Amino acid sequence: MSVRALWIVSHEKGENVSIRFSRRFSTVEHRAKCLAGSSYVAVPEDGTVLQLLLTELGLSEPDKTYVALRDDCLHRQRSPALELHVDGPGKGILWPVLAVSQGPLILACLCLVDAPPEPRPPLANLLSVSQGLTLLAGLQTFLLGSGNKPDSEGPASRLAMLPSVLLQVCPLGTPLDLPALGAPGTAPTPAGNQKQPAWKTGLYRGRAVVNVALIETVRSMQYGNPSTQDLWDVYGTVTCKCEVEGVLPNVTVTLTLPPNGSPLQDILVHPCVTSLDSSILTASSVDNSDSSAFSGPYKFPFSPPLEPFRLCSYTSQVPVPPILGSYQLKEEENQLRVSVTLKLHESVKNSFEYCEAHLPFFNRDQMGVVDVKVSSGQLDVSKEKNLLVWTLGQRFPKSREVMMEGRITFSGPTPGPTDPLCTELTAYIKLYFKVPDTTLSGSCVDQHSVQVYSSAKPRIATSRELQSKEYFIWNSAGAAPVSSGQMML
């Protein structure tokens, strides 16, 4: 839940009562307007709010012995959830306005009621009320100290810190589920006059650390049929986690390609990127390839948020998929003959974190006799799932080619798993693999190309990897679902 507005009022004796700090949250106010509809009551100016608040708290016009709105016996004070009766064009009732008074300060906030205005819901049912009271109590401790009495510094210096504090504990009007604020003066504040943006909910303190991870994902549909074109595509993402001091620190990450690399296409960047060469964004995979297209280096200057984020994404056209496969499944004398060949392309690094080939068999009885041999790796048989799992390990053999041959009977006592797509000889192999420290496009982020404008020397770590997703090799002797394959890509 959220708060629509927040006020801090000073009412020390011998001084004029005034609002020392106010904050309105426009995004929450928009939600309040949508929820209330025709019953919406806008938050008036601070001066009007101050008078209404003082009247409701019985602090208005202290020189007068009787004020009707304050002293009439029909008036019932509903502390801490007050009603402010707004007159004028936008007249109505603002509720619930939470107010706590301690020492020289009054802290108040207007909560968002996420329910129809009539009938009015009980206070106990409103989460925003309990969150609002917790927020006010935390701010009270921050401004006045744990004893709720002014210390030698006074609250003035901490009022100046309040904008950055609210960005941490109540970003965009939504109180976070955080422990109570610590001792006064411990909250980090922006250096100099630089204003902290609303989207950045805190400041980092410590040694600068930048982690950049480049992950390329390859998808493929291979049919082993001259009449059907094989399909594959590659898309990449660059993810960053930046712990850098400052309100708006400057970081630049550079993505480079090898001399013969194909230009990156369909590039999308995070909103925190501050500037970009327009030629980077013009390359599109739907256009015909242009040899004069921008081919790097791709520089991305940005001011990072605190949390991990995706700096950019792209697609790349590569001439061949990393693993070429051939799958033949034939029916012979009440059994299936299986023949599989997998070949790792010479341009791909022969060092896997893992590599597996899964061969499921649907719409048949459970497996009986499995007489299958593999030239490399290990074969696991799950008769209950009608599944062969071929674990190729971390390397292909020196020839970069592996084979599987054998026969399978399906004579189990119960039916195996079903799939409406894979009937008769329609079957597939699905590959799962990950290759560290490589990409198909050849793109990389060199840690020496990462620039961090920080007073201290940053620690920079970069990584890249290639992984598979929806990597299918269809039985060339069966009826592969070509249209479905194209839609999957």
Side-chain angles (χ1 to χ4, degrees):
M1 302 303 292
S2 306
V3 294
R4 296 167 60 181
L6 173 72
W7 300 274
I8 296 178
V9 180
S10 173
H11 68 111
E12 291 186 275
K13 292 182 179 180
E15 295 186 6
N16 292 328
V17 179
S18 62
I19 291 182
R20 300 289 300 275
F21 178 86
S22 69
R23 176 60 52 87
R24 297 161 190 255
F25 301 97
S26 57
T27 54
V28 182
E29 194 65 18
H30 178 72
R31 288 163 54 196
K33 189 172 184 178
C34 294
L35 287 169
S38 59
S39 303
Y40 170 71
V41 179
V43 181
E45 297 295 326
D46 286 350
T48 303
V49 172
L50 177 61
Q51 292 303 317
L52 295 174
L53 186 62
L54 293 176
T55 300
E56 191 67 22
L57 292 173
L59 300 174
S60 64
E61 301 181 272
D63 54 326
K64 292 185 179 182
T65 57
Y66 177 80
V67 177
L69 289 176
R70 182 188 68 191
D71 303 317
D72 193 287
C73 62
L74 296 177
H75 175 72
R76 291 183 302 164
Q77 192 180 55
R78 297 174 175 83
S79 180
L82 310 176
E83 291 182 349
L84 300 188
H85 295 259
V86 181
D87 296 326
K91 65 179 181 179
I93 298 176
L94 288 177
W95 178 88
V97 177
L98 307 179
V100 294
S101 178
Q102 184 71 38
L105 296 180
I106 300 172
L107 288 78
C109 68
L110 173 61
C111 299
L112 174 69
V113 178
D114 192 6
E118 296 296 338
R120 181 177 290 182
L123 282 176
N125 294 348
L126 297 177
L127 178 61
S128 58
V129 171
S130 59
Q131 286 189 329
L133 288 173
T134 303
L135 174 65
L136 294 180
L139 293 177
Q140 186 181 48
T141 302
F142 173 74
L143 293 170
L144 298 176
S146 57
N148 287 331
K149 294 181 180 180
D151 55 20
S152 57
E153 292 184 20
S157 61
R158 291 185 288 279
L159 278 169
M161 299 166 61
L162 206 52
S164 59
V165 170
L166 285 176
L167 283 173
Q168 299 176 61
V169 300
C170 190
L172 301 177
T174 302
L176 300 178
D177 187 15
L178 295 175
L181 289 170
T186 59
T189 56
N193 297 322
Q194 199 170 24
K195 185 178 179 181
Q196 187 168 341
W199 52 264
K200 192 166 188 177
T201 59
L203 294 175
Y204 174 74
R205 289 287 184 266
R207 182 183 177 184
V209 179
V210 177
N211 291 289
V212 184
L214 169 58
I215 299 177
E216 278 193 354
T217 303
V218 57
R219 302 182 293 183
S220 181
M221 302 288 281
Q222 300 178 33
Y223 302 101
N225 192 332
S227 62
T228 305
Q229 182 180 2
D230 293 344
L231 304 172
W232 63 89
D233 67 2
V234 176
Y235 65 93
T237 59
V238 179
T239 304
C240 298
K241 176 69 169 74
C242 300
E243 296 175 334
V244 184
E245 290 187 346
V247 179
L248 291 172
N250 294 318
V251 180
T252 299
V253 169
T254 302
L255 196 61
T256 58
L257 292 174
N260 59 343
S262 299
L264 304 181
Q265 299 173 326
D266 306 318
I267 296 177
L268 298 175
V269 299
H270 191 275
C272 72
V273 174
T274 54
S275 63
L276 201 63
D277 190 329
S278 60
S279 60
I280 293 179
L281 301 177
T282 56
S284 172
S285 60
V286 299
D287 299 330
N288 293 327
S289 59
D290 183 2
S291 58
S292 63
F294 184 80
S295 58
Y298 301 85
K299 290 183 177 292
F300 301 96
F302 58 93
S303 181
L306 294 178
E307 67 277 2
F309 67 100
R310 188 172 69 180
L311 175 64
C312 69
S313 62
Y314 62 86
T315 65
S316 178
Q317 294 186 359
V318 295
V320 291
I323 298 178
L324 292 169
S326 171
Y327 182 27
Q328 289 187 340
L329 189 66
K330 297 180 179 180
E331 197 101 38
E332 294 181 356
E333 300 177 356
N334 299 323
Q335 61 184 358
L336 287 181
R337 181 179 176 184
V338 180
S339 177
V340 179
T341 301
L342 300 177
K343 185 173 181 60
L344 179 66
H345 193 267
E346 58 185 11
S347 64
V348 180
K349 183 179 179 181
N350 189 9
S351 178
F352 292 79
E353 184 174 319
Y354 60 83
C355 184
E356 292 183 354
H358 290 201
L359 287 74
F361 300 93
F362 298 103
N363 307 312
R364 300 177 182 275
D365 291 336
Q366 280 190 350
M367 287 180 176
V369 178
V370 179
D371 182 17
V372 177
K373 305 296 182 183
V374 294
S375 63
S376 179
Q378 177 181 341
L379 184 66
D380 294 322
V381 180
S382 174
K383 294 186 177 182
E384 295 78 10
K385 298 180 180 180
N386 274 11
L387 176 67
L388 299 182
V389 178
W390 185 7
T391 303
L392 295 165
Q394 297 179 327
R395 295 184 66 86
F396 273 60
K398 189 174 181 180
S399 64
R400 290 182 170 248
E401 184 173 286
V402 293
M403 290 177 289
M404 172 193 290
E405 294 281 350
R407 300 175 184 272
I408 306 172
T409 62
F410 296 86
S411 55
T414 58
T418 60
D419 186 312
L421 185 65
C422 295
T423 59
E424 298 180 351
L425 290 178
T426 301
Y428 61 82
I429 300 172
K430 188 172 184 180
L431 294 183
Y432 300 86
F433 59 83
K434 180 184 289 187
V435 189
D437 196 29
T438 192
T439 55
L440 274 186
S441 66
S443 59
C444 69
V445 178
D446 184 2
Q447 66 177 18
H448 299 294
S449 70
V450 179
Q451 299 176 343
V452 182
Y453 300 92
S454 173
S455 57
K457 185 178 180 180
R459 181 170 64 85
I460 299 173
T462 61
S463 64
R464 62 174 181 167
E465 66 182 40
L466 172 67
Q467 65 182 14
S468 65
K469 180 182 179 182
E470 297 178 3
Y471 204 104
F472 292 94
I473 301 171
W474 290 92
N475 175 27
S476 60
V482 177
S483 59
S484 298
Q486 291 172 336
M487 285 190 290
M488 291 175 70
L489 288 175

